[in-house]
Amino acid sequence: MSAIKLDKLPEKVILPLKQHDGIACAPLVKKGEEVVIGQKIGDCEGSDLAYVHSPYCGTVESVVEMPNPSGKRVLSVIINPLECADSVDFVPEKDASPSRLLEIIKEAGIVEYYQKPTYLALKPGERIDTLIMNATFPLIANAYLDSLDKVLEGFRLMLEAGGISRGAIVIRADDKESIKAFKNAKVDGKPLIVAPIIGKRHADYYFEDSEDEIIVLAGGKITYTPTMMNLLSGDVMGRKIPLGYKPADVHVAVCGVKSAKAVYDAVYEGKPYLENVITVSGAVNRPGSVLVKFGTPIKDVVEACGGYKGEPGKVIINGTRVGVAIYSDESPVAKDTTGIVVQTKDEVLRDVSSACIHCARCVDICPMNLLPGRIAVMADQGMYEKCGEYYALSCIECGDCAAVCPAKKHLVQLIRFSKLQLLEMCAETEPAEVTE
Amino acid sequence: MNDVLINSIAVLAGLGFAVGAMLVAASRIFKIDSNPLIDEVAELLPGANCGGCGFAGCAACAEAIVESGAPVNSCPVGGFETAKEIGALMGQEVSESEPEYPFVRCNGGKSCVTLYDYEGVDGCKAALMLCDSRKGCTYGCLGLGTCVRACKFDALSMGEDGFPHVNKNLCTSCGNCIAACPNEILTFAPDTQKVHVLCRSHDKGKQVKAVCENGCIGCKKCEKECPADAIKVTDFLAEIDQEKCTACGACAAVCPQGIIEVR
């Protein structure tokens, strides 16, 4: 199944100058200036950066603060796109050294699906022995199956750039299309190993038996969202990550399918990160995956999917459970956008939360073994240090607790709030050892 | 039978005396010298433990006044009366200061565009974390009542117009509401200050007009009109220098948006 392409130019393109978790870029263009495809329009200095390039050619209408898909207002460059194909000269560099590869990835402004710039994800400072590619978004993974050899080559380049010896691609066990495609794919003329994760047979088990650099693992029926990095690395590698640690501490780095393709484009075609595939689901006439250039308003993406089915009640970015509903479909698609969900008016739940009845369903369901109800109560009362003691920062924001709560407590929002307050207070809680 | 009674009473009484004597001895030997002044000052304080003074509670405030030289009028709740009594204890003169009350620097409310319905955790801070302000204006009052809940004296209430209202009879000027507001809408203002600008927006006039009927557009009419040269428009927002202001009301008369209030 290939991705739907936008056949119409949007009226205007909004390019936020901050599309990752880090420093905002400064605009390089002024009002009235002409831009071409691939031109760098946002530059920044520092250690945590992702440059912004224009995926369209046209004239800059203005540089103002506009709402971006996460709901916050961000300084954005607004471009009136034109029907032209002028672009900067893309210079491919096929035989680059690992350090040059990393430089190319940085220059291209590639950002992981969890908002971290890829060059930092590959070289976080700690020793990394395995790179995991999260291909557990079936719709997105399927959209890239046409260009699977490019994705695999991009993945190999990422391993080379990061100096990482092994790569594991994780797909969903029920994603038959992907499994079939990966079984037929070849790396260096050899077919890929596609194996399931069962019991204690984790990635290490399969790596021991083979000399391959890259293997494919079918991991179960979970889609690992951006906040579920620890769970993903824990499940795939079988290395339990104690509360308060990150995947890099167990020598694991995580990347997405989109960034692998983007790395291929950057190295073999010289293109910066200009477009990716997002999924559109819910109350639209033709749901599916769409190949979108960054900066395209969500309105135009929905139009390419046949428009809204009836009157939309809510448009949610990045998933129904943990995503944020946007208040205007003029918001653009950014580098960290993975999907759009449209709900009809009848589907929108408007529950009023009531008092906690201490049923502990949230405790039973929490995949990180936290006490969501307890943390939420303390966050509500402003006891943020106490939230930290209960490992609020380890919450992966999967939204399971809020989904099962019979009292309809806003658990995820409260925990997220406490996390933010904790980070603001720069409280560094001592990570405790978990004995398993 | 009698022997048993007498013996047990004698043993218990003896034990009581012995333990009592030990306790008396222990309290003499391990006595901690505490300043009796601290307890006296603590008794004069209101005992609400609101934290308005900046200390952990009334006892901590009393200790700070006596031992580390905090000013005797540290307690904003007790006001002048309490300060005078503590001053008498500490041997310090206290001059009466003007009581200050929190005051809302926004006039948007219903006249400001609401972008979306907010559902979730009650409170402005939590709402701001999730998304941008639900109002069209990023500077204005959200009207979700974080300040109302922060008040321990029931002095604030959320009005029909979507703003917190201050009941001056109940307000103790502890400042909890001011600290709670994420948009810094509330500030202290004494009753002697008569003229106020009811807007916080630094947006350009056009942007303000697009979202709010009652916002400062930075037209500078007030600046030109003021005879005392007390009003200045900086970054598209009029600000009043209260020391120069004579409360003549000339600025309020010319303001096209009607956001300068003369009390």
Side-chain angles (χ1 to χ4, degrees), chain A residues 3-10 56 278 280 284-293 296-308 340:
Chain A
I4 303 166
K5 285 198 178 90
L6 266 72
D7 44 6
K8 212 173 74 182
L9 270 182
Y56 288 95
I278 63 167
V280 181
V284 290
N285 287 322
R286 267 183 291 130
S289 40
V290 193
L291 182 69
V292 187
K293 291 178 174 171
T296 311
I298 283 158
K299 188 175 64 177
D300 294 86
V301 178
V302 172
E303 221 166 85
C305 293
Y308 295 114
I340 301 169

PDB file of all heavy atoms in Angstrom, chain A residues 3-10 56 278 280 284-293 296-308 340:
ATOM      1  N   ALA A   3       1.689   5.401  -0.204  1.00  0.00           N
ATOM      2  CA  ALA A   3       1.108   6.574   0.447  1.00  0.00           C
ATOM      3  C   ALA A   3       0.392   7.468  -0.560  1.00  0.00           C
ATOM      4  O   ALA A   3       0.782   7.567  -1.714  1.00  0.00           O
ATOM      5  CB  ALA A   3       2.211   7.356   1.139  1.00  0.00           C
ATOM      6  N   ILE A   4      -0.665   8.112  -0.094  1.00  0.00           N
ATOM      7  CA  ILE A   4      -1.373   9.100  -0.900  1.00  0.00           C
ATOM      8  C   ILE A   4      -0.455  10.323  -1.030  1.00  0.00           C
ATOM      9  O   ILE A   4       0.242  10.688  -0.080  1.00  0.00           O
ATOM     10  CB  ILE A   4      -2.685   9.521  -0.197  1.00  0.00           C
ATOM     11  CG1 ILE A   4      -3.568   8.303   0.064  1.00  0.00           C
ATOM     12  CG2 ILE A   4      -3.439  10.574  -1.015  1.00  0.00           C
ATOM     13  CD1 ILE A   4      -4.706   8.558   1.034  1.00  0.00           C
ATOM     14  N   LYS A   5      -0.445  10.927  -2.232  1.00  0.00           N
ATOM     15  CA  LYS A   5       0.369  12.137  -2.396  1.00  0.00           C
ATOM     16  C   LYS A   5      -0.543  13.346  -2.550  1.00  0.00           C
ATOM     17  O   LYS A   5      -1.635  13.241  -3.102  1.00  0.00           O
ATOM     18  CB  LYS A   5       1.264  12.004  -3.617  1.00  0.00           C
ATOM     19  CG  LYS A   5       2.429  11.076  -3.380  1.00  0.00           C
ATOM     20  CD  LYS A   5       3.513  11.300  -4.429  1.00  0.00           C
ATOM     21  CE  LYS A   5       4.711  10.424  -4.178  1.00  0.00           C
ATOM     22  NZ  LYS A   5       4.677   9.124  -4.815  1.00  0.00           N
ATOM     23  N   LEU A   6      -0.102  14.476  -2.078  1.00  0.00           N
ATOM     24  CA  LEU A   6      -0.878  15.702  -2.240  1.00  0.00           C
ATOM     25  C   LEU A   6      -0.707  16.203  -3.673  1.00  0.00           C
ATOM     26  O   LEU A   6       0.415  16.404  -4.120  1.00  0.00           O
ATOM     27  CB  LEU A   6      -0.389  16.781  -1.263  1.00  0.00           C
ATOM     28  CG  LEU A   6      -1.136  16.874   0.063  1.00  0.00           C
ATOM     29  CD1 LEU A   6      -0.794  15.679   0.926  1.00  0.00           C
ATOM     30  CD2 LEU A   6      -0.801  18.141   0.791  1.00  0.00           C
ATOM     31  N   ASP A   7      -1.831  16.359  -4.403  1.00  0.00           N
ATOM     32  CA  ASP A   7      -1.694  16.795  -5.792  1.00  0.00           C
ATOM     33  C   ASP A   7      -1.881  18.303  -5.946  1.00  0.00           C
ATOM     34  O   ASP A   7      -1.619  18.861  -6.990  1.00  0.00           O
ATOM     35  CB  ASP A   7      -2.678  16.035  -6.695  1.00  0.00           C
ATOM     36  CG  ASP A   7      -4.060  15.941  -6.076  1.00  0.00           C
ATOM     37  OD1 ASP A   7      -4.257  16.561  -5.013  1.00  0.00           O
ATOM     38  OD2 ASP A   7      -4.920  15.257  -6.638  1.00  0.00           O
ATOM     39  N   LYS A   8      -2.336  18.955  -4.870  1.00  0.00           N
ATOM     40  CA  LYS A   8      -2.623  20.385  -4.967  1.00  0.00           C
ATOM     41  C   LYS A   8      -1.646  21.162  -4.080  1.00  0.00           C
ATOM     42  O   LYS A   8      -1.268  20.695  -3.015  1.00  0.00           O
ATOM     43  CB  LYS A   8      -4.053  20.624  -4.486  1.00  0.00           C
ATOM     44  CG  LYS A   8      -4.727  21.778  -5.189  1.00  0.00           C
ATOM     45  CD  LYS A   8      -6.185  21.839  -4.779  1.00  0.00           C
ATOM     46  CE  LYS A   8      -6.308  22.364  -3.367  1.00  0.00           C
ATOM     47  NZ  LYS A   8      -7.623  22.439  -2.831  1.00  0.00           N
ATOM     48  N   LEU A   9      -1.245  22.348  -4.561  1.00  0.00           N
ATOM     49  CA  LEU A   9      -0.382  23.177  -3.721  1.00  0.00           C
ATOM     50  C   LEU A   9      -1.226  23.797  -2.616  1.00  0.00           C
ATOM     51  O   LEU A   9      -2.325  24.275  -2.878  1.00  0.00           O
ATOM     52  CB  LEU A   9       0.230  24.306  -4.549  1.00  0.00           C
ATOM     53  CG  LEU A   9       1.553  24.055  -5.244  1.00  0.00           C
ATOM     54  CD1 LEU A   9       1.989  25.321  -5.946  1.00  0.00           C
ATOM     55  CD2 LEU A   9       2.624  23.588  -4.291  1.00  0.00           C
ATOM     56  N   PRO A  10      -0.752  23.796  -1.391  1.00  0.00           N
ATOM     57  CA  PRO A  10      -1.518  24.480  -0.346  1.00  0.00           C
ATOM     58  C   PRO A  10      -1.501  25.995  -0.558  1.00  0.00           C
ATOM     59  O   PRO A  10      -0.612  26.514  -1.239  1.00  0.00           O
ATOM     60  CB  PRO A  10      -0.809  24.090   0.937  1.00  0.00           C
ATOM     61  CG  PRO A  10       0.538  23.623   0.525  1.00  0.00           C
ATOM     62  CD  PRO A  10       0.441  23.152  -0.880  1.00  0.00           C
ATOM     63  N   TYR A  56       9.158  23.784  -0.182  1.00  0.00           N
ATOM     64  CA  TYR A  56       8.436  24.379  -1.308  1.00  0.00           C
ATOM     65  C   TYR A  56       9.269  25.529  -1.864  1.00  0.00           C
ATOM     66  O   TYR A  56      10.136  26.065  -1.178  1.00  0.00           O
ATOM     67  CB  TYR A  56       7.099  24.956  -0.836  1.00  0.00           C
ATOM     68  CG  TYR A  56       6.070  23.910  -0.494  1.00  0.00           C
ATOM     69  CD1 TYR A  56       5.915  23.472   0.819  1.00  0.00           C
ATOM     70  CD2 TYR A  56       5.246  23.378  -1.471  1.00  0.00           C
ATOM     71  CE1 TYR A  56       4.969  22.520   1.140  1.00  0.00           C
ATOM     72  CE2 TYR A  56       4.294  22.421  -1.155  1.00  0.00           C
ATOM     73  CZ  TYR A  56       4.156  21.998   0.149  1.00  0.00           C
ATOM     74  OH  TYR A  56       3.217  21.057   0.460  1.00  0.00           O
ATOM     75  N   ILE A 278       2.678  10.494   7.088  1.00  0.00           N
ATOM     76  CA  ILE A 278       1.877  10.499   8.308  1.00  0.00           C
ATOM     77  C   ILE A 278       0.582   9.737   8.027  1.00  0.00           C
ATOM     78  O   ILE A 278       0.195   9.556   6.875  1.00  0.00           O
ATOM     79  CB  ILE A 278       1.562  11.930   8.805  1.00  0.00           C
ATOM     80  CG1 ILE A 278       0.715  12.695   7.792  1.00  0.00           C
ATOM     81  CG2 ILE A 278       2.817  12.697   9.125  1.00  0.00           C
ATOM     82  CD1 ILE A 278       0.143  13.964   8.365  1.00  0.00           C
ATOM     83  N   VAL A 280      -3.530   9.267   8.420  1.00  0.00           N
ATOM     84  CA  VAL A 280      -4.759  10.003   8.674  1.00  0.00           C
ATOM     85  C   VAL A 280      -5.845   8.959   8.914  1.00  0.00           C
ATOM     86  O   VAL A 280      -6.064   8.087   8.079  1.00  0.00           O
ATOM     87  CB  VAL A 280      -5.137  10.912   7.493  1.00  0.00           C
ATOM     88  CG1 VAL A 280      -6.405  11.680   7.795  1.00  0.00           C
ATOM     89  CG2 VAL A 280      -4.008  11.877   7.181  1.00  0.00           C
ATOM     90  N   VAL A 284     -12.555  10.547   8.145  1.00  0.00           N
ATOM     91  CA  VAL A 284     -12.252  11.149   6.843  1.00  0.00           C
ATOM     92  C   VAL A 284     -12.682  10.157   5.771  1.00  0.00           C
ATOM     93  O   VAL A 284     -12.827   8.965   6.047  1.00  0.00           O
ATOM     94  CB  VAL A 284     -10.747  11.487   6.673  1.00  0.00           C
ATOM     95  CG1 VAL A 284     -10.347  12.627   7.559  1.00  0.00           C
ATOM     96  CG2 VAL A 284      -9.885  10.282   6.923  1.00  0.00           C
ATOM     97  N   ASN A 285     -12.885  10.636   4.548  1.00  0.00           N
ATOM     98  CA  ASN A 285     -13.453   9.762   3.528  1.00  0.00           C
ATOM     99  C   ASN A 285     -12.498   8.682   3.038  1.00  0.00           C
ATOM    100  O   ASN A 285     -12.908   7.588   2.707  1.00  0.00           O
ATOM    101  CB  ASN A 285     -13.949  10.607   2.350  1.00  0.00           C
ATOM    102  CG  ASN A 285     -15.213  11.347   2.726  1.00  0.00           C
ATOM    103  OD1 ASN A 285     -16.067  10.797   3.435  1.00  0.00           O
ATOM    104  ND2 ASN A 285     -15.340  12.589   2.309  1.00  0.00           N
ATOM    105  N   ARG A 286     -11.201   9.000   2.936  1.00  0.00           N
ATOM    106  CA  ARG A 286     -10.243   7.990   2.500  1.00  0.00           C
ATOM    107  C   ARG A 286      -9.087   7.919   3.483  1.00  0.00           C
ATOM    108  O   ARG A 286      -8.018   8.481   3.241  1.00  0.00           O
ATOM    109  CB  ARG A 286      -9.721   8.335   1.107  1.00  0.00           C
ATOM    110  CG  ARG A 286     -10.516   7.673  -0.020  1.00  0.00           C
ATOM    111  CD  ARG A 286      -9.917   7.981  -1.363  1.00  0.00           C
ATOM    112  NE  ARG A 286     -10.075   9.375  -1.719  1.00  0.00           N
ATOM    113  CZ  ARG A 286      -9.102  10.159  -2.152  1.00  0.00           C
ATOM    114  NH1 ARG A 286      -7.895   9.691  -2.276  1.00  0.00           N
ATOM    115  NH2 ARG A 286      -9.334  11.421  -2.458  1.00  0.00           N
ATOM    116  N   PRO A 287      -9.261   7.254   4.640  1.00  0.00           N
ATOM    117  CA  PRO A 287      -8.156   7.198   5.596  1.00  0.00           C
ATOM    118  C   PRO A 287      -6.980   6.408   5.021  1.00  0.00           C
ATOM    119  O   PRO A 287      -7.178   5.506   4.205  1.00  0.00           O
ATOM    120  CB  PRO A 287      -8.764   6.503   6.814  1.00  0.00           C
ATOM    121  CG  PRO A 287      -9.993   5.846   6.339  1.00  0.00           C
ATOM    122  CD  PRO A 287     -10.454   6.555   5.117  1.00  0.00           C
ATOM    123  N   GLY A 288      -5.799   6.756   5.451  1.00  0.00           N
ATOM    124  CA  GLY A 288      -4.619   6.049   4.955  1.00  0.00           C
ATOM    125  C   GLY A 288      -3.380   6.829   5.310  1.00  0.00           C
ATOM    126  O   GLY A 288      -3.418   7.746   6.127  1.00  0.00           O
ATOM    127  N   SER A 289      -2.271   6.445   4.672  1.00  0.00           N
ATOM    128  CA  SER A 289      -1.047   7.184   4.947  1.00  0.00           C
ATOM    129  C   SER A 289      -0.772   8.154   3.803  1.00  0.00           C
ATOM    130  O   SER A 289      -1.043   7.855   2.648  1.00  0.00           O
ATOM    131  CB  SER A 289       0.119   6.234   5.161  1.00  0.00           C
ATOM    132  OG  SER A 289       0.035   5.176   4.257  1.00  0.00           O
ATOM    133  N   VAL A 290      -0.280   9.320   4.172  1.00  0.00           N
ATOM    134  CA  VAL A 290      -0.090  10.399   3.213  1.00  0.00           C
ATOM    135  C   VAL A 290       1.364  10.853   3.247  1.00  0.00           C
ATOM    136  O   VAL A 290       1.939  11.011   4.322  1.00  0.00           O
ATOM    137  CB  VAL A 290      -0.993  11.610   3.559  1.00  0.00           C
ATOM    138  CG1 VAL A 290      -1.043  12.590   2.409  1.00  0.00           C
ATOM    139  CG2 VAL A 290      -2.374  11.165   3.957  1.00  0.00           C
ATOM    140  N   LEU A 291       1.936  11.059   2.065  1.00  0.00           N
ATOM    141  CA  LEU A 291       3.285  11.621   1.989  1.00  0.00           C
ATOM    142  C   LEU A 291       3.148  13.139   1.989  1.00  0.00           C
ATOM    143  O   LEU A 291       2.590  13.717   1.062  1.00  0.00           O
ATOM    144  CB  LEU A 291       3.985  11.140   0.720  1.00  0.00           C
ATOM    145  CG  LEU A 291       5.423  11.613   0.527  1.00  0.00           C
ATOM    146  CD1 LEU A 291       6.339  10.970   1.557  1.00  0.00           C
ATOM    147  CD2 LEU A 291       5.916  11.296  -0.866  1.00  0.00           C
ATOM    148  N   VAL A 292       3.611  13.770   3.064  1.00  0.00           N
ATOM    149  CA  VAL A 292       3.388  15.208   3.243  1.00  0.00           C
ATOM    150  C   VAL A 292       4.714  15.932   3.365  1.00  0.00           C
ATOM    151  O   VAL A 292       5.634  15.462   4.035  1.00  0.00           O
ATOM    152  CB  VAL A 292       2.564  15.475   4.523  1.00  0.00           C
ATOM    153  CG1 VAL A 292       2.189  16.932   4.618  1.00  0.00           C
ATOM    154  CG2 VAL A 292       1.337  14.618   4.565  1.00  0.00           C
ATOM    155  N   LYS A 293       4.794  17.088   2.702  1.00  0.00           N
ATOM    156  CA  LYS A 293       5.951  17.958   2.919  1.00  0.00           C
ATOM    157  C   LYS A 293       5.694  18.761   4.185  1.00  0.00           C
ATOM    158  O   LYS A 293       4.553  19.166   4.442  1.00  0.00           O
ATOM    159  CB  LYS A 293       6.121  18.895   1.722  1.00  0.00           C
ATOM    160  CG  LYS A 293       6.548  18.149   0.485  1.00  0.00           C
ATOM    161  CD  LYS A 293       6.676  19.066  -0.689  1.00  0.00           C
ATOM    162  CE  LYS A 293       7.240  18.299  -1.871  1.00  0.00           C
ATOM    163  NZ  LYS A 293       7.216  19.043  -3.099  1.00  0.00           N
ATOM    164  N   THR A 296       2.904  21.818   5.435  1.00  0.00           N
ATOM    165  CA  THR A 296       1.589  21.766   4.802  1.00  0.00           C
ATOM    166  C   THR A 296       0.505  21.821   5.879  1.00  0.00           C
ATOM    167  O   THR A 296       0.545  21.041   6.825  1.00  0.00           O
ATOM    168  CB  THR A 296       1.439  20.451   4.011  1.00  0.00           C
ATOM    169  OG1 THR A 296       2.592  20.288   3.208  1.00  0.00           O
ATOM    170  CG2 THR A 296       0.201  20.474   3.149  1.00  0.00           C
ATOM    171  N   PRO A 297      -0.471  22.726   5.746  1.00  0.00           N
ATOM    172  CA  PRO A 297      -1.528  22.772   6.756  1.00  0.00           C
ATOM    173  C   PRO A 297      -2.320  21.467   6.797  1.00  0.00           C
ATOM    174  O   PRO A 297      -2.502  20.804   5.764  1.00  0.00           O
ATOM    175  CB  PRO A 297      -2.415  23.929   6.292  1.00  0.00           C
ATOM    176  CG  PRO A 297      -1.533  24.770   5.455  1.00  0.00           C
ATOM    177  CD  PRO A 297      -0.579  23.835   4.799  1.00  0.00           C
ATOM    178  N   ILE A 298      -2.771  21.106   7.987  1.00  0.00           N
ATOM    179  CA  ILE A 298      -3.498  19.857   8.199  1.00  0.00           C
ATOM    180  C   ILE A 298      -4.771  19.824   7.353  1.00  0.00           C
ATOM    181  O   ILE A 298      -5.182  18.773   6.870  1.00  0.00           O
ATOM    182  CB  ILE A 298      -3.771  19.682   9.698  1.00  0.00           C
ATOM    183  CG1 ILE A 298      -2.477  19.213  10.370  1.00  0.00           C
ATOM    184  CG2 ILE A 298      -4.887  18.707   9.978  1.00  0.00           C
ATOM    185  CD1 ILE A 298      -2.378  19.464  11.818  1.00  0.00           C
ATOM    186  N   LYS A 299      -5.348  21.010   7.156  1.00  0.00           N
ATOM    187  CA  LYS A 299      -6.538  21.151   6.314  1.00  0.00           C
ATOM    188  C   LYS A 299      -6.310  20.513   4.933  1.00  0.00           C
ATOM    189  O   LYS A 299      -7.132  19.745   4.441  1.00  0.00           O
ATOM    190  CB  LYS A 299      -6.794  22.652   6.165  1.00  0.00           C
ATOM    191  CG  LYS A 299      -8.057  23.050   5.510  1.00  0.00           C
ATOM    192  CD  LYS A 299      -8.199  24.566   5.573  1.00  0.00           C
ATOM    193  CE  LYS A 299      -7.094  25.246   4.788  1.00  0.00           C
ATOM    194  NZ  LYS A 299      -7.210  26.713   4.762  1.00  0.00           N
ATOM    195  N   ASP A 300      -5.157  20.817   4.324  1.00  0.00           N
ATOM    196  CA  ASP A 300      -4.854  20.293   2.987  1.00  0.00           C
ATOM    197  C   ASP A 300      -4.593  18.799   3.014  1.00  0.00           C
ATOM    198  O   ASP A 300      -4.900  18.094   2.055  1.00  0.00           O
ATOM    199  CB  ASP A 300      -3.642  21.018   2.408  1.00  0.00           C
ATOM    200  CG  ASP A 300      -3.938  22.474   2.158  1.00  0.00           C
ATOM    201  OD1 ASP A 300      -3.790  23.275   3.106  1.00  0.00           O
ATOM    202  OD2 ASP A 300      -4.354  22.814   1.058  1.00  0.00           O
ATOM    203  N   VAL A 301      -4.003  18.313   4.127  1.00  0.00           N
ATOM    204  CA  VAL A 301      -3.738  16.875   4.237  1.00  0.00           C
ATOM    205  C   VAL A 301      -5.060  16.122   4.299  1.00  0.00           C
ATOM    206  O   VAL A 301      -5.251  15.096   3.644  1.00  0.00           O
ATOM    207  CB  VAL A 301      -2.891  16.588   5.495  1.00  0.00           C
ATOM    208  CG1 VAL A 301      -2.646  15.103   5.640  1.00  0.00           C
ATOM    209  CG2 VAL A 301      -1.577  17.340   5.447  1.00  0.00           C
ATOM    210  N   VAL A 302      -5.997  16.663   5.090  1.00  0.00           N
ATOM    211  CA  VAL A 302      -7.309  16.018   5.213  1.00  0.00           C
ATOM    212  C   VAL A 302      -8.032  16.057   3.868  1.00  0.00           C
ATOM    213  O   VAL A 302      -8.685  15.098   3.470  1.00  0.00           O
ATOM    214  CB  VAL A 302      -8.138  16.703   6.322  1.00  0.00           C
ATOM    215  CG1 VAL A 302      -9.565  16.186   6.332  1.00  0.00           C
ATOM    216  CG2 VAL A 302      -7.498  16.490   7.675  1.00  0.00           C
ATOM    217  N   GLU A 303      -7.875  17.145   3.147  1.00  0.00           N
ATOM    218  CA  GLU A 303      -8.504  17.274   1.830  1.00  0.00           C
ATOM    219  C   GLU A 303      -7.989  16.197   0.874  1.00  0.00           C
ATOM    220  O   GLU A 303      -8.746  15.612   0.098  1.00  0.00           O
ATOM    221  CB  GLU A 303      -8.206  18.650   1.255  1.00  0.00           C
ATOM    222  CG  GLU A 303      -9.384  19.289   0.557  1.00  0.00           C
ATOM    223  CD  GLU A 303      -9.117  20.756   0.323  1.00  0.00           C
ATOM    224  OE1 GLU A 303      -8.480  21.055  -0.688  1.00  0.00           O
ATOM    225  OE2 GLU A 303      -9.509  21.577   1.184  1.00  0.00           O
ATOM    226  N   ALA A 304      -6.683  15.921   0.944  1.00  0.00           N
ATOM    227  CA  ALA A 304      -6.103  14.889   0.090  1.00  0.00           C
ATOM    228  C   ALA A 304      -6.671  13.523   0.434  1.00  0.00           C
ATOM    229  O   ALA A 304      -6.638  12.600  -0.374  1.00  0.00           O
ATOM    230  CB  ALA A 304      -4.587  14.894   0.239  1.00  0.00           C
ATOM    231  N   CYS A 305      -7.157  13.365   1.667  1.00  0.00           N
ATOM    232  CA  CYS A 305      -7.762  12.103   2.098  1.00  0.00           C
ATOM    233  C   CYS A 305      -9.269  12.130   1.881  1.00  0.00           C
ATOM    234  O   CYS A 305     -10.016  11.427   2.570  1.00  0.00           O
ATOM    235  CB  CYS A 305      -7.465  11.844   3.554  1.00  0.00           C
ATOM    236  SG  CYS A 305      -5.754  11.549   3.857  1.00  0.00           S
ATOM    237  N   GLY A 306      -9.753  12.976   1.007  1.00  0.00           N
ATOM    238  CA  GLY A 306     -11.168  12.996   0.701  1.00  0.00           C
ATOM    239  C   GLY A 306     -11.991  13.908   1.585  1.00  0.00           C
ATOM    240  O   GLY A 306     -13.210  13.925   1.496  1.00  0.00           O
ATOM    241  N   GLY A 307     -11.348  14.642   2.445  1.00  0.00           N
ATOM    242  CA  GLY A 307     -12.064  15.604   3.291  1.00  0.00           C
ATOM    243  C   GLY A 307     -12.717  14.952   4.495  1.00  0.00           C
ATOM    244  O   GLY A 307     -12.713  13.733   4.649  1.00  0.00           O
ATOM    245  N   TYR A 308     -13.263  15.804   5.377  1.00  0.00           N
ATOM    246  CA  TYR A 308     -13.908  15.314   6.593  1.00  0.00           C
ATOM    247  C   TYR A 308     -15.188  14.577   6.241  1.00  0.00           C
ATOM    248  O   TYR A 308     -15.908  14.943   5.319  1.00  0.00           O
ATOM    249  CB  TYR A 308     -14.275  16.480   7.514  1.00  0.00           C
ATOM    250  CG  TYR A 308     -13.093  17.230   8.049  1.00  0.00           C
ATOM    251  CD1 TYR A 308     -12.865  18.551   7.689  1.00  0.00           C
ATOM    252  CD2 TYR A 308     -12.215  16.621   8.936  1.00  0.00           C
ATOM    253  CE1 TYR A 308     -11.791  19.258   8.197  1.00  0.00           C
ATOM    254  CE2 TYR A 308     -11.136  17.322   9.443  1.00  0.00           C
ATOM    255  CZ  TYR A 308     -10.925  18.639   9.070  1.00  0.00           C
ATOM    256  OH  TYR A 308      -9.863  19.320   9.566  1.00  0.00           O
ATOM    257  N   ILE A 340      -2.720  11.887  12.232  1.00  0.00           N
ATOM    258  CA  ILE A 340      -3.856  12.762  12.497  1.00  0.00           C
ATOM    259  C   ILE A 340      -5.065  11.864  12.709  1.00  0.00           C
ATOM    260  O   ILE A 340      -5.299  10.940  11.926  1.00  0.00           O
ATOM    261  CB  ILE A 340      -4.120  13.706  11.300  1.00  0.00           C
ATOM    262  CG1 ILE A 340      -2.888  14.569  11.021  1.00  0.00           C
ATOM    263  CG2 ILE A 340      -5.346  14.569  11.539  1.00  0.00           C
ATOM    264  CD1 ILE A 340      -2.982  15.326   9.710  1.00  0.00           C
TER     265      ILE A 340
END
